[in-house]
Amino acid sequence: MNNHLEIVVLETSDIHGNIFPLNYGSNQTEQVGLAKIASLIKREREEHEHVLLIDNGDLIQGTPLAYHAIKMASERPNPLIQAANELQYDAAVFGNHEFNYGTNVLEHIIEQANFPWLSANLLDEKTGEPYFGKPYMIQTVGGVKVGILGLTTSYIPNWEEPAHITGIQFADPVETAKQWVTHLREREGADLLIVSYHGGFERDPETGEPTEMLTGENKGYELCMEVEGIDVLLTGHQHRQLAGTKINGVLIVQPGHMGQTLGKVTLQLEDRNGRWAVVQKTSELLSVNGVEPDESILKLASTYEEATQEWLDTPIGHIEGDMVIRDAVQTRLQDNPLVEFINRVQMEVTKVTISNTAIFSNQSPGLPENVTMRDIVANYIYPNTLKVLRISGQDMKDALERSAAYFKQYDGGTIEVSPSFLEPKPQHYNYDMWEGIDYIINISKPVGERIVQLEHAGKPVDMSGEYDVVMNNYRAGGGGDYLMYQNKPVVQEVPTDVSELLANYFLEHKTVTATCNHNWKVIHD
């Protein structure tokens, strides 16, 4: 008998509905998607005898294809699950976005899967038992008993519509893991223990120092430090690319999002007097760049893709007025109907009176008279969600000064963008425009002194007052050097992509009137 064994664990996470290597806004090829990942999976299976494949959550939501499949073709098998079945996944874990369509839709999707969905800390409020039935699984691989425990971020009630999660208790993942890891080791006799946690790290994996507000949303570090007996921690949710690091001896990996990379863990085990022990473990990320997509996965999803493309080009609403962008720089110099529309949708969804947003790219075309879903995703190109932060008047002014730094100081010639927003890459998405306040930016003044008027409800903004402001999740986390937002109270989160919110607004209202109240402008002396 061979007393050495190699096991390879492959992880996908935060696929977010991406099967085809495609940007749906431009219809151009992109280095993403499950079809490309499939080619890597098949290659790994050819090269290694013992391979486990686990999805770590946020599989079924995020692209027009995924949205169309659930909203308009729900009578057919879900294409993401069909692809996962074809790839013979061993297990999946629930991500937060699995709940975006409610538990009825989710349970229907679970029934279609040929693999178990694991979650130990999603409990039935009435019984205290795992809500979806299976907290873990035991898989025997080459004689090794592998325990796989599923955990999901317990922060979901802070984002999700209450009706979508009725009856579910979101227990603490660390305390839950302590209970089940002991059970798997002592009762089930697991030789190898893998935790797949749809969550990330609130602390630096190397130093343990907090890297974000310690809300409990991302407890990966605590799982490694406080739970004895974990060999490998598969993570996700934050869309980070992490590999090659151990925390307290626990190997971690996180494979980004959209199918950009495949997480790979290689474990060497040795038989020691009848019990297998891990003697070496490494993790890495396999990129899909340049990888040919797997034809069987493309073929399996082709009819869904054709229907999605047709739907993308079908008008979903009508605009009375003009929301076309003809000059992106000019659009950032004074209030305009497109930005006002996006801000007003954000305000209506969250029921707050102040909002900010950006035009993400100079290629953003604006919205034509007859709006299609493709027009929406061509303008709102990022899979952002919304957060409402409670900030001070001083925070608001500081944020506006940060945006005002987008322009070079005016010297009498052409208005130009500051090099700091162009290098090393264009960052037009870091210039925000606001609704619900009145303000003037004077670009003749030095950076940091450009907000020459700032009012709310007809009165000067109180620098020590508190204001609830809706913005995208990237900005709310301080992205783009908006450090004034970091660690501010989160009043509300909306987990649905903004592009979906905009589309839903057109579907509900049919006709939208372009308005512009000219609440802000850029001037120069």
Side-chain angles (χ1 to χ4, degrees):
M1 172 182 166
N2 189 350
N3 67 344
H4 287 83
L5 190 77
E6 180 185 78
I7 296 176
V8 170
V9 182
L10 302 177
E11 179 204 7
T12 55
S13 191
D14 300 273
I15 292 292
H16 283 294
N18 286 273
I19 295 177
F20 288 78
L22 191 65
N23 178 315
Y24 282 93
S26 63
N27 244 11
Q28 299 298 306
T29 299
E30 196 153 319
Q31 300 295 321
V32 299
L34 202 52
K36 281 177 170 278
I37 289 286
S39 296
L40 293 176
I41 291 168
K42 291 183 177 181
R43 186 185 75 192
E44 290 298 315
R45 283 182 171 147
E46 288 173 1
E47 294 177 357
H48 303 280
E49 183 181 357
H50 302 297
V51 177
L52 288 170
L53 176 60
I54 299 169
D55 184 77
N56 191 58
D58 283 2
L59 175 66
I60 64 171
Q61 178 276 348
T63 58
L65 172 71
Y67 183 82
H68 184 271
I70 286 175
K71 290 289 190 178
M72 287 94 170
S74 59
E75 74 286 349
R76 298 183 63 196
N78 185 277
L80 276 305
I81 301 303
Q82 279 195 300
N85 286 341
E86 176 74 14
L87 290 170
Q88 298 179 332
Y89 272 77
D90 292 287
V93 170
F94 298 96
N96 50 297
H97 284 285
E98 260 69 61
F99 296 91
N100 286 175
Y101 302 105
T103 50
N104 287 341
V105 169
L106 181 53
E107 285 170 352
H108 179 57
I109 284 172
I110 292 168
E111 289 170 3
Q112 299 172 31
N114 295 340
F115 47 86
W117 288 76
L118 309 177
S119 191
N121 69 312
L122 306 186
L123 308 179
D124 188 305
E125 285 184 344
K126 293 179 180 176
T127 67
E129 296 297 315
Y131 187 91
F132 294 99
K134 240 188 154 174
Y136 68 87
M137 68 181 293
I138 292 286
Q139 189 107 325
T140 301
V141 181
V144 175
K145 291 186 78 171
V146 183
I148 304 167
L149 179 68
L151 297 169
T152 300
T153 176
S154 58
Y155 213 63
I156 290 173
N158 293 280
W159 311 306
E160 194 52 76
E161 290 281 345
H164 290 173
I165 53 175
T166 302
I168 303 175
Q169 175 192 346
F170 293 83
D172 178 72
V174 177
E175 294 307 311
T176 302
K178 288 176 182 176
Q179 170 195 344
W180 286 109
V181 168
T182 300
H183 176 87
L184 282 161
R185 287 292 194 186
E186 296 180 1
R187 299 282 184 87
E188 295 282 9
D191 300 304
L192 170 63
L193 208 147
I194 299 165
V195 173
S196 186
Y197 168 53
H198 189 83
F201 299 90
E202 292 176 325
R203 296 178 181 274
D204 184 292
E206 304 283 352
T207 67
E209 290 297 310
T211 53
E212 57 184 70
M213 198 169 173
L214 297 177
T215 62
E217 178 182 346
N218 296 295
K219 287 197 166 186
Y221 188 85
E222 288 78 1
L223 282 166
C224 295
M225 295 301 293
E226 298 178 25
V227 184
E228 291 294 326
I230 301 173
D231 292 304
V232 178
L233 180 66
L234 309 178
T235 65
H237 183 54
Q238 292 174 310
H239 300 179
R240 296 167 70 182
Q241 294 190 6
L242 301 172
T245 301
K246 293 175 186 171
I247 301 173
N248 194 28
V250 180
L251 186 68
I252 67 165
V253 65
Q254 187 173 147
H257 71 303
M258 297 170 64
Q260 297 169 333
T261 68
L262 176 67
K264 178 183 177 182
V265 172
T266 305
L267 298 141
Q268 306 295 337
L269 294 98
E270 186 176 273
D271 186 349
R272 294 178 175 172
N273 301 318
R275 285 299 301 266
W276 289 96
V278 179
V279 293
Q280 187 180 347
K281 49 188 175 181
T282 58
S283 62
E284 59 186 305
L285 301 178
L286 308 178
S287 173
V288 301
N289 286 346
V291 173
E292 286 298 313
D294 182 77
E295 288 296 331
S296 65
I297 298 297
L298 294 179
K299 184 177 180 182
L300 179 149
S302 62
T303 57
Y304 297 87
E305 177 68 5
E306 289 164 11
T308 300
Q309 289 292 343
E310 185 177 341
W311 168 68
L312 279 170
D313 290 326
T314 301
I316 59 173
H318 179 76
I319 292 174
E320 288 186 350
D322 188 356
M323 289 193 196
V324 174
I325 295 178
R326 294 172 181 84
D327 184 324
V329 175
Q330 287 299 315
T331 303
R332 296 188 182 97
L333 292 175
Q334 59 185 335
D335 191 20
N336 65 87
L338 176 69
V339 170
E340 184 163 309
F341 167 66
I342 295 171
N343 273 323
R344 289 197 177 281
V345 171
Q346 293 185 173
M347 291 156 72
E348 183 171 313
V349 167
T350 56
K351 305 296 190 292
V352 300
T353 59
I354 305 174
S355 172
N356 64 52
T357 192
I359 295 172
F360 296 130
S361 162
N362 282 355
Q363 282 68 53
S364 295
L367 295 174
E369 182 180 3
N370 293 306
V371 180
T372 66
M373 189 67 197
R374 195 184 307 281
D375 295 320
I376 298 288
V377 298
N379 286 278
Y380 212 98
I381 59 177
Y382 296 118
N384 290 333
T385 54
L386 295 178
K387 287 190 178 186
V388 177
L389 296 188
R390 184 158 292 160
I391 65 172
S392 69
Q394 186 64 55
D395 295 327
M396 184 187 298
K397 185 174 186 297
D398 291 345
L400 287 163
E401 290 286 6
R402 166 63 184 150
S403 283
Y406 175 79
F407 298 101
K408 286 178 68 173
Q409 188 163 355
Y410 186 71
D411 61 3
T414 304
I415 294 174
E416 296 181 56
V417 177
S418 167
S420 66
F421 280 76
L422 296 173
E423 300 164 2
K425 67 175 183 177
Q427 300 167 53
H428 303 297
Y429 51 82
N430 282 330
Y431 175 76
D432 288 338
M433 294 158 280
W434 293 57
E435 190 64 34
I437 57 173
D438 295 278
Y439 64 97
I440 295 174
I441 298 172
N442 187 340
I443 58 173
S444 294
K445 295 185 175 294
V447 168
E449 302 174 18
R450 292 180 171 180
I451 305 305
V452 295
Q453 179 185 323
L454 178 55
E455 296 180 349
H456 176 250
K459 298 178 182 178
V461 166
D462 179 358
M463 292 297 108
S464 61
E466 290 187 333
Y467 300 86
D468 290 353
V469 181
V470 58
M471 62 192 76
N472 69 56
N473 61 304
Y474 170 75
R475 186 70 76 241
D481 291 331
Y482 285 80
L483 304 182
M484 69 294 300
Y485 294 143
Q486 288 185 339
N487 301 319
K488 291 298 186 290
V490 177
V491 178
Q492 184 187 159
E493 298 203 31
V494 179
T496 307
D497 287 2
V498 177
S499 58
E500 285 186 30
L501 296 175
L502 297 172
N504 289 341
Y505 191 90
F506 276 106
L507 290 168
E508 180 182 349
H509 293 81
K510 306 302 181 190
T511 297
V512 173
T513 301
T515 62
C516 187
N517 61 7
H518 303 288
N519 66 300
W520 66 272
K521 61 183 176 181
V522 175
I523 64 170
H524 49 79
D525 295 334

